[in-house]
Amino acid sequence: MTRLTPHFTLEELTHSDTAARLGIDNTPHEEAVKNLQILAEGLELVRTKLDGNAMRVSSGFRSLELNRALRSKDTSRHIMGLAADFSCPSYGTINDVMHAISESSIEYDQLIMEFNSWIHISFPATNEAPRRQTFVIDKSGVKSYT
C-alpha cells in the first residue's frame, strides 16, 4: 500500500467498483498522483475537523473513461486527482458534515452536498487560489448552500 498521509492511501483514493465492473483502467497519470497528495492532505484537514472520525471515500481519482462512464463532466476535478466524494456517518448527518466544513478555515475549492447522501470536496491545484464555493445538488438542481 502506498500511504499518502496517515489516514489515506493511493489505493483508497483510486479504487472504483465501477471501473472494476466495467474493466476500465483507473491508474492515475503522473500529474494526478501529485494532485492526489494534495487531496489526501486536504482530506486529513477535513478528518481533523470532523473530530478524527473515519471518512468513507466513495470516489476519488477517475480516469477520463471512468468519469464518462459515470456521466460526469470532462472538467471534473476527479480526473485531475483533486476531488473526492465521501461521507462520515460517525460524525453526523451529511448536513452536519457539510456545515462543519463550510464554517471551517479549510481552503477547499468546492464543497457540494449531493442528494443529501454524500459530499463532494475538491481542492485547488498548486498555485491556484481556493474559491470556497459551496453548493447543494438535489432533484431540483443546483443551488448555493446557506
Side-chain angles (χ1 to χ4, degrees), residues 35-139:
N35 287 338
L36 284 163
Q37 183 68 47
I38 294 169
L39 175 63
E41 290 167 5
L43 292 175
E44 285 290 347
L45 296 174
V46 171
R47 192 177 196 275
T48 298
K49 185 65 187 172
L50 301 178
D51 300 332
N53 285 291
M55 298 162 58
R56 294 181 185 164
V57 177
S58 57
S59 183
F61 171 77
R62 298 178 190 158
S63 65
L64 183 59
E65 183 181 0
L66 173 59
N67 200 61
R68 287 177 175 168
L70 293 169
R71 299 181 194 181
S72 188
K73 296 177 181 176
D74 283 359
T75 56
S76 171
R77 290 226 168 202
H78 284 280
I79 297 167
M80 299 169 64
L82 289 169
D85 297 338
F86 74 95
S87 60
C88 187
S90 53
Y91 179 80
T93 67
I94 292 297
N95 196 56
D96 292 337
V97 173
M98 182 77 172
H99 182 75
I101 300 168
S102 68
E103 295 297 315
S104 76
S105 61
I106 295 171
E107 294 191 338
Y108 58 84
D109 192 58
Q110 288 188 326
L111 187 67
I112 307 170
M113 182 167 57
E114 298 191 41
F115 303 98
N116 206 31
S117 296
W118 70 87
I119 291 175
H120 167 94
I121 191 165
S122 65
F123 293 93
T126 304
N127 301 322
E128 281 185 343
R131 296 180 291 174
R132 287 190 51 94
Q133 296 176 330
T134 53
F135 300 105
V136 174
I137 296 176
D138 59 24
K139 290 178 183 177

Side-chain angles (χ1 to χ4, degrees), residues 1-61:
M1 254 201 247
T2 308
R3 190 154 298 283
L4 298 172
T5 61
H7 298 101
F8 298 97
T9 65
L10 180 65
E11 292 78 9
E12 174 183 19
L13 296 179
T14 59
H15 174 79
S16 169
D17 289 339
T18 302
R21 187 176 74 252
L22 297 177
I24 296 172
D25 180 6
N26 199 46
T27 305
H29 47 85
E30 188 176 330
E31 184 68 23
V33 173
K34 290 177 186 174
N35 287 338
L36 284 163
Q37 183 68 47
I38 294 169
L39 175 63
E41 290 167 5
L43 292 175
E44 285 290 347
L45 296 174
V46 171
R47 192 177 196 275
T48 298
K49 185 65 187 172
L50 301 178
D51 300 332
N53 285 291
M55 298 162 58
R56 294 181 185 164
V57 177
S58 57
S59 183
F61 171 77

